[in-house]
Amino acid sequence: MASNIWVLAETWRGQITETTLELLTLGRELAGQTGGPLEAVLLGDKSLAAPLGAADNVLCAANVAPTPEAVAAALAQLVRERQPQAVLVPWTNLSMDAGALAAAQLNAPFVNGCKDLKSDGGMIVAQCVVYGGKLEAAVAATTAPALFGVLPGSRPAAAAGNAPTVTEVAVSVPEARVKFNRYLEPETGDVDITQKEVLVAVGRGIQQQDNLELAESLAAALGGAVCGSRPVIDQGWLPLSRQVGKSGMSVKPKLYLMLGISGAPEHVEGMKNAQLIVAINTDANAPIFNVAHLGINADLFDVVPALTEKIRAVKGGA
Amino acid sequence: MNTLVLLKMVPDVVEELEVAADGKSLDTSFLRTIINERDDHALEQALLLKERHGGKVTVVALDAPDIDDTLFAAMAKGADRAVKITDVPEGLTTQTAAKLCAQALAGLLPADLILTGVQALDDLDGLSAAIVAHQLGLPYIGVVTGVTADGPTATVIKEFAGGVRGEFAVTLPAVLGVQAAEKPPRYVPVAKVRAMMKTQKIETVPVAGDVGAATIEVRQLAKPVVSSHAEMLEGSPEEAAAKLVERLAQRGLI
Amino acid sequence: MAVIAEEANEITLENLWKTAEGQRVLSCMQCGMCVGTCPYGDVMDYPPRRIIGMLKEGELDTVLRSNSLLTCVTCYACMTKCPRGIKLTEVLLPLVKELTFVQLSDVPSELQRALENTLRYGNPMGESPRKRADWVKTSKVPIRILHQDRRPTDVLWFVECYTSYHPRGQDNCRATARLFHALGIDFAILGNEEKCAGEAARMVGESGLFDTLMDYNIKVLEKYEYNRIVTSGAHAYDTFKYQYPPRGFHRPVEHTTPFFARHLDQLKPKLTKKLNYTVTYHDACVLGRHNGFYDEPRRLLAAIPGVRLVEMEHNRANSICCGGGGGGMWLDTYYKMKGYERLSERRIKEALNTGADVLAVSCPYEVSRFEDALKTVGGDKKMIVRDVTELLAEALEE
């Protein structure tokens, strides 16, 4: 029991999430180091288990309400009964509550923001992102079981593989003090750019309102939204809700693709924590190239149409 | 509607963070601390609830450098009472600190709601809100961006991803882990804070008892490896575009 | 322009009518010169004339609740034109702005951040105070930092926030350092001990923040021995000159532009590079209208070989504010939401009309405001913005 590695499978709108599959890849590595099996914990209907084939076993408990309380109680109960060494929990809005509550109930650590895990001298050691990404900490759990909140993107998603072995388990969940009512969809009005994972940002280099179309097509191909630096908003080409920077919003998307933005500090302030920053600018000395991760020193009017076409080609085939 | 708001100070990341000689902790020589941003939102949400429903807001915090300024600022914004937990031992982690706070909060009950930030950038081994909830035997939900209190239950909005939110009914009293208040934290004029310092007192309560050892060990603290100039993708616009597409695909973005 | 700093600092709304300034306010004849000359006179709900009218009727609350005074960019235009000599921008407007600010239920977010940053980090950008002197590493001439080398100095150069942290401001301070060096001036800076002089905080109505900054700055400035303060910040200059003395701080202070003009005889022979620019000079409100430095920047520019000066339609005392004062620097989005034209855009169109290659300025707010405005109106290929010190340094022999 002391070497089992568990992954809390999270389901969103009736589907196992991508992050769960990434955790299975990491879990498999870890299980290889600890010598124990890799098990997924699915607190939902067993019909959802199909993508979890990378696990040796899926512990499935149905009728667990989608509230952090219910999930935590169920998870804690299973952990107490079966004593795995580690439980990998997706570090997402969806699952971090449940992970934190379960850990509190178990008097176990819930290690935050892990980008990597390994077994070392019998202990699980996590590489954690701390202080907003300014530093990283190597944190060892000194007790077992221990829970680990793992960041999305730590590993590629595990393939579904063969149909998983499902073990149905029973959990008793205390009377609910937190009840789920309903989902609230985002307003169909304008977009909340702070929630977007992909943003295409336009600056003065876009030159005219008509050219925004280029950015819109690129954003659509990437599944993102268009935002802008202040001059663009001030021209009235984009609404205030799309403004990024000192006078606008701070965004931290997975991808921030910048077209014709020089990188003035006032704009950078609002986007410098984006995970992947790509800048396209005709000025090789534009300050943005000291902020961006990837750069293309070319005319956006030449690059963007080609980029959009190629992205569509890749996605079309997927 | 009486609320307790738990605040803490965290390292201010505007300053360069240096690692101490031991390689495991922060160098405190130039370290400045600031209120945990999520706790600032929790305070704002509590003040909004007070404006809507009346009642009292009590802010609570473990003693730490610069905490007094934060507590006086909270009172200047509208909090009615500030309680500082003193005799704080060294070497606390999120888990052990949260347990100490829970003891102090227990002494301040009854209250309708306990609000605190859902997370902090120096959290290592837990989320305070969840730990406090468990210690006090209260219901908990986090990543909260909206609260309406109608009697014995509160309607709480929790954020998921992609702009989707969930509406939950929570029986009170409860602990909420706040992600964002319904409005950004209000400004408080410096003159008002100074006035509070002259006219108000921060109450103190000593730590109640031992909460045991932490269940983690920090083995190393270090800067991540980062480059300072963009990697330029060369070639004709077509070629550069193709290279970019490859990179995006590698990162799972397309 | 009589200065009544001592008196001004003791005036409150309660005791206003008992003071000499209060009597001047009462003598207002409602002529409307102030409204007519105010750059935002057409959009301000309660311009100075109406404020005085309302004040006399005991209706100030209405004025405060309208938040009208957030639109006042403290450009001194009304004060300059008032036939009664009412010191509007020195006394009445800051009082009303302070009262407006304190009752604001929602401080516009950009302004809120600037004020919180200034309190916490000593600069509105929110940069670490420990990076304030980082630009020194990029200076071509040596710069002495007082807390590292405490020997007395002739000039304590108060660099200010935008000049220290903003990339375009750093162009200015590197130029200034070269000029000091070329003139053989013995100078030193406070380095990371320096914090915002606080004029913007005061002029937007955050008097508590201003007092905090002033107390801090006076303590630091008293630690060292120097003959005079020379500052690159026009607003810093103004506040050192008028607000700090009533607090007990009495040291000579100059702004870099008049300082260099004073040394023109010595500087001119060193300006050997021919620039071939047609230059139009924008009179900064604080340096011009409030302190009368109209000739000094023009003499400096005329001394640069190959520079031809042309004037904008509104110049000297009639200059149109760039919109950065009184908190305006951080209220652009707020003004935009209200549908006001940005003053820097209004002004830049005048500048472009002169056909000049270069817009010369001498206040650090102006560089980024006018460069932004050039991009917005599509004039950035036709004109560049340079501080007077940048132009002087460009013409300076190596």
Side-chain angles (χ1 to χ4, degrees):
Chain A
M1 288 302 146
S3 55
N4 292 34
I5 303 298
W6 284 11
V7 169
L8 177 67
E10 59 171 21
T11 55
W12 176 243
R13 300 281 178 85
Q15 276 201 305
I16 299 286
T17 65
E18 180 93 347
T19 312
T20 305
L21 303 179
E22 292 168 2
L23 264 56
L24 284 175
T25 306
L26 179 57
R28 173 59 64 200
E29 270 180 46
L30 204 52
Q33 293 164 19
T34 62
L38 173 66
E39 300 183 281
V41 176
L42 175 61
L43 301 172
D45 193 85
K46 62 180 191 238
S47 63
L48 297 167
L52 302 172
D56 298 315
N57 186 22
V58 177
L59 301 168
C60 185
N63 303 322
V64 176
T67 65
E69 285 222 316
V71 171
L75 179 61
Q77 190 187 330
L78 290 170
V79 170
R80 262 184 231 113
E81 285 168 7
R82 293 160 184 263
Q83 297 286 305
Q85 186 171 3
V87 183
L88 279 55
V89 177
W91 184 250
T92 57
N93 286 355
L94 188 51
S95 299
M96 61 198 272
D97 276 354
L101 257 185
Q105 290 165 19
L106 295 163
N107 203 28
F110 182 43
V111 183
N112 288 205
C114 307
K115 59 186 259 202
D116 204 0
L117 296 172
K118 67 175 183 200
S119 175
D120 183 22
M123 287 195 266
I124 308 286
V125 182
Q127 187 71 6
C128 305
V129 172
V130 290
Y131 307 120
K134 287 221 161 175
L135 293 176
E136 286 181 1
V139 178
T142 55
T143 61
L147 282 75
F148 298 87
V150 180
L151 291 161
S154 68
R155 289 292 188 280
N162 297 323
T165 311
V166 177
T167 307
E168 288 178 74
V169 293
V171 289
S172 66
V173 176
E175 189 175 326
R177 297 173 300 178
V178 176
K179 295 194 175 116
F180 173 69
N181 285 348
R182 59 190 174 128
Y183 289 114
L184 301 170
E185 302 297 332
E187 269 138 34
T188 49
D190 201 32
V191 152
D192 180 355
I193 57 171
T194 62
Q195 301 303 317
K196 283 291 184 182
E197 295 192 331
V198 174
L199 288 173
V200 174
V202 294
R204 190 63 186 78
I206 203 78
Q207 288 175 16
Q208 290 174 56
Q209 186 165 13
D210 300 327
N211 296 332
L212 269 182
E213 229 173 30
L214 275 176
E216 304 268 346
S217 306
L218 179 56
L222 286 165
V226 173
C227 62
S229 60
R230 202 171 86 184
V232 170
I233 275 76
D234 286 349
Q235 307 272 53
W237 300 348
L238 284 175
L240 207 58
S241 55
R242 304 294 186 111
Q243 187 174 322
V244 171
K246 176 167 155 279
S247 317
M249 270 158 277
S250 280
V251 294
K252 292 183 206 178
K254 286 187 174 173
L255 171 64
Y256 194 76
L257 218 165
M258 312 172 70
L259 310 176
I261 294 179
S262 61
E266 292 73 36
H267 183 75
V268 170
E269 202 186 285
M271 44 63 56
K272 62 184 190 248
N273 293 317
Q275 285 178 43
L276 178 64
I277 303 168
V278 181
I280 302 175
N281 199 298
T282 47
D283 177 8
N285 293 320
I288 195 56
F289 289 125
N290 291 325
V291 174
H293 302 106
L294 297 176
I296 299 180
N297 179 210
D299 196 320
L300 68 96
F301 296 108
D302 296 329
V303 178
V304 173
L307 192 55
T308 309
E309 198 189 300
K310 290 175 199 301
I311 291 168
R312 284 195 187 130
V314 169
K315 284 196 149 179
Chain B
M1 160 115 307
N2 292 330
T3 53
L4 306 178
V5 182
L6 181 61
L7 307 175
K8 75 165 172 176
M9 305 297 280
V10 297
D12 187 348
V13 296
V14 164
E15 305 290 348
E16 283 308 313
L17 295 181
E18 303 291 336
V19 178
D22 67 2
K24 298 185 204 182
S25 57
L26 281 179
D27 182 341
T28 52
S29 358
F30 294 108
L31 190 67
R32 289 183 65 181
T33 56
I34 193 170
I35 186 175
N36 173 27
E37 194 183 343
R38 305 281 146 234
D39 291 343
D40 208 9
H41 280 264
L43 173 61
E44 181 62 29
Q45 188 64 50
L47 294 169
L48 291 169
L49 288 168
K50 177 181 168 179
E51 281 166 9
R52 282 180 220 150
H53 306 292
K56 301 239 181 281
V57 174
T58 303
V59 287
V60 182
L62 284 173
D63 196 2
D66 296 331
I67 192 66
D68 283 13
D69 283 355
T70 299
L71 293 172
F72 281 119
M75 287 197 278
K77 288 186 181 183
D80 301 281
R81 251 177 107 188
V83 177
K84 183 166 64 170
I85 308 166
T86 57
D87 305 326
V88 176
E90 296 272 309
L92 292 178
T93 65
T94 313
Q95 205 182 44
T96 45
K99 287 180 183 176
L100 286 176
C101 291
Q103 289 169 349
L105 289 165
L108 294 168
L109 295 173
D112 300 291
L113 273 176
I114 299 178
L115 301 182
T116 188
V118 65
Q119 62 178 118
L121 43 67
D122 65 347
D123 281 339
L124 275 183
D125 60 348
L127 295 179
S128 309
I131 296 167
V132 163
H134 169 67
Q135 294 289 319
L136 297 176
L138 295 177
Y140 167 70
I141 188 162
V143 205
V144 170
T145 56
V147 185
T148 325
D150 343 303
T153 55
T155 304
V156 174
I157 307 296
K158 178 193 156 90
E159 246 182 27
F160 292 110
V164 180
R165 294 163 302 151
E167 189 188 85
F168 293 80
V170 180
T171 57
L172 299 183
V175 177
L176 303 182
V178 174
Q179 169 75 8
E182 287 156 36
K183 289 166 81 179
R186 63 196 61 190
Y187 184 76
V188 61
V190 172
K192 277 195 182 168
V193 180
R194 282 179 155 191
M196 285 292 140
M197 288 175 171
K198 293 203 182 89
T199 60
Q200 300 297 316
K201 288 248 169 305
I202 296 174
E203 300 167 40
T204 59
V205 56
V207 147
D210 190 15
V211 289
T215 51
I216 55 152
E217 178 193 289
V218 176
R219 291 197 175 172
Q220 194 201 38
L221 193 59
K223 297 202 179 180
V225 177
V226 131
S227 56
S228 63
H229 190 279
E231 187 192 331
M232 302 305 284
L233 303 177
E234 308 286 357
S236 69
E238 274 283 325
E239 287 164 359
K243 287 183 185 173
L244 181 55
V245 167
E246 208 185 299
R247 295 304 200 91
L248 295 178
Q250 272 172 17
R251 307 262 306 215
L253 288 160
I254 47 174
Chain C
M1 191 76 49
V3 173
I4 50 163
E6 325 283 343
E7 197 196 349
N9 275 286
E10 267 130 49
I11 300 179
T12 60
L13 219 40
E14 288 75 39
N15 68 16
L16 179 63
W17 307 131
K18 300 185 204 132
T19 64
E21 179 57 20
Q23 291 304 301
R24 268 190 290 268
V25 171
L26 277 175
S27 77
C28 166
M29 53 184 179
Q30 297 282 298
C31 67
M33 287 290 279
C34 51
V35 190
T37 199
C38 171
Y40 273 140
D42 53 335
V43 296
M44 204 183 275
D45 292 331
Y46 294 97
R49 180 175 75 87
R50 288 194 75 190
I51 293 176
I52 295 175
M54 305 286 277
L55 200 57
K56 288 193 207 173
E57 301 293 319
E59 302 240 341
L60 196 62
D61 254 8
T62 314
V63 174
L64 300 180
R65 274 182 279 113
S66 76
N67 297 339
S68 177
L69 268 280
L70 272 183
T71 323
C72 168
V73 292
T74 62
C75 71
Y76 296 91
C78 55
M79 179 168 138
T80 309
K81 296 294 194 205
C82 176
R84 292 301 204 199
I86 301 172
K87 310 277 181 263
L88 289 163
T89 324
E90 282 185 7
V91 182
L92 186 62
L93 296 178
L95 261 181
V96 181
K97 280 167 87 62
E98 188 180 337
L99 295 168
T100 301
F101 186 80
V102 108
Q103 58 82 51
L104 271 180
S105 54
D106 263 310
V107 177
S109 59
E110 195 186 345
L111 177 63
Q112 176 172 345
R113 264 176 287 169
L115 294 171
E116 286 171 351
N117 287 337
T118 305
L119 177 65
R120 203 174 154 74
Y121 305 111
N123 67 84
M125 301 83 153
E127 297 279 352
S128 164
R130 292 170 56 204
K131 294 189 179 155
R132 196 174 179 109
D134 275 5
W135 70 268
V136 168
K137 297 181 209 133
T138 65
S139 170
K140 296 221 162 73
V141 304
I143 312 262
R144 180 152 72 97
I145 298 180
L146 282 167
H147 64 84
Q148 292 168 1
D149 177 352
R150 305 183 65 115
R151 289 173 294 139
T153 179
D154 177 29
V155 166
L156 187 154
W157 174 25
F158 196 92
V159 186
E160 253 302 32
C161 307
Y162 267 80
T163 343
S164 301
Y165 288 107
H166 194 285
R168 286 293 283 122
Q170 291 172 353
D171 290 334
N172 181 345
C173 61
R174 278 188 288 267
T176 305
R178 280 188 64 212
L179 291 167
F180 280 145
H181 186 79
L183 288 169
I185 306 280
D186 173 28
F187 72 96
I189 66 171
L190 290 172
N192 296 341
E193 282 193 302
E194 189 188 282
K195 278 196 190 187
C196 181
E199 191 264 7
R202 179 170 171 270
M203 290 311 233
V204 80
E206 232 292 25
S207 55
L209 174 55
F210 175 70
D211 287 340
T212 305
L213 288 167
M214 183 164 58
D215 288 343
Y216 170 86
N217 278 322
I218 290 177
K219 264 210 202 81
V220 173
L221 289 166
E222 309 266 60
K223 288 200 303 189
Y224 304 108
E225 283 175 62
Y226 47 92
N227 294 323
R228 76 198 76 254
I229 297 173
V230 177
T231 178
S232 304
H235 292 266
Y237 165 71
D238 200 77
T239 215
F240 284 139
K241 183 170 170 193
Y242 298 112
Q243 303 306 321
Y244 280 44
R247 253 311 211 262
F249 182 77
H250 301 279
R251 304 279 199 123
V253 61
E254 285 187 80
H255 178 263
T256 42
T257 306
F259 177 84
F260 288 131
R262 208 157 55 71
H263 289 78
L264 191 51
D265 285 345
Q266 203 192 332
L267 186 58
K268 186 163 175 160
K270 300 178 193 278
L271 302 175
T272 55
K273 298 206 193 128
K274 197 156 186 232
L275 293 192
N276 290 328
Y277 289 146
T278 305
V279 177
T280 187
Y281 176 72
H282 166 79
D283 287 282
C285 304
V286 166
L287 279 182
R289 274 190 288 269
H290 197 212
N291 288 282
F293 294 122
Y294 300 115
D295 292 327
E296 289 80 351
R298 289 171 170 79
R299 280 177 26 229
L300 286 171
L301 292 168
I304 300 176
V307 162
R308 186 174 78 89
L309 273 181
V310 294
E311 293 290 348
M312 285 186 261
E313 188 186 331
H314 292 93
N315 57 71
R316 294 173 178 260
N318 293 323
S319 172
I320 298 176
C321 182
C322 73
M329 194 65 185
W330 302 281
L331 287 170
D332 278 325
T333 306
Y334 173 80
Y335 294 153
K336 192 80 189 176
M337 271 165 44
K338 299 212 152 211
Y340 305 162
E341 181 190 21
R342 191 173 295 146
L343 295 178
S344 45
E345 285 165 33
R346 194 188 294 178
R347 185 57 163 167
I348 208 70
K349 287 178 199 163
E350 268 201 11
L352 286 164
N353 278 343
T354 63
D357 311 302
V358 180
L359 173 63
V361 298
S362 43
C363 168
Y365 286 161
E366 290 162 0
V367 176
S368 59
R369 294 189 69 74
F370 286 133
E371 284 182 345
D372 241 10
L374 275 173
K375 283 188 204 163
T376 314
V377 308
D380 50 330
K381 306 264 189 291
K382 299 188 201 136
M383 180 175 260
I384 57 174
V385 182
R386 291 288 181 270
D387 192 287
V388 170
T389 48
E390 286 184 89
L391 291 169
L392 288 170
E394 199 180 328
L396 192 63
E397 65 197 1
E398 284 304 326

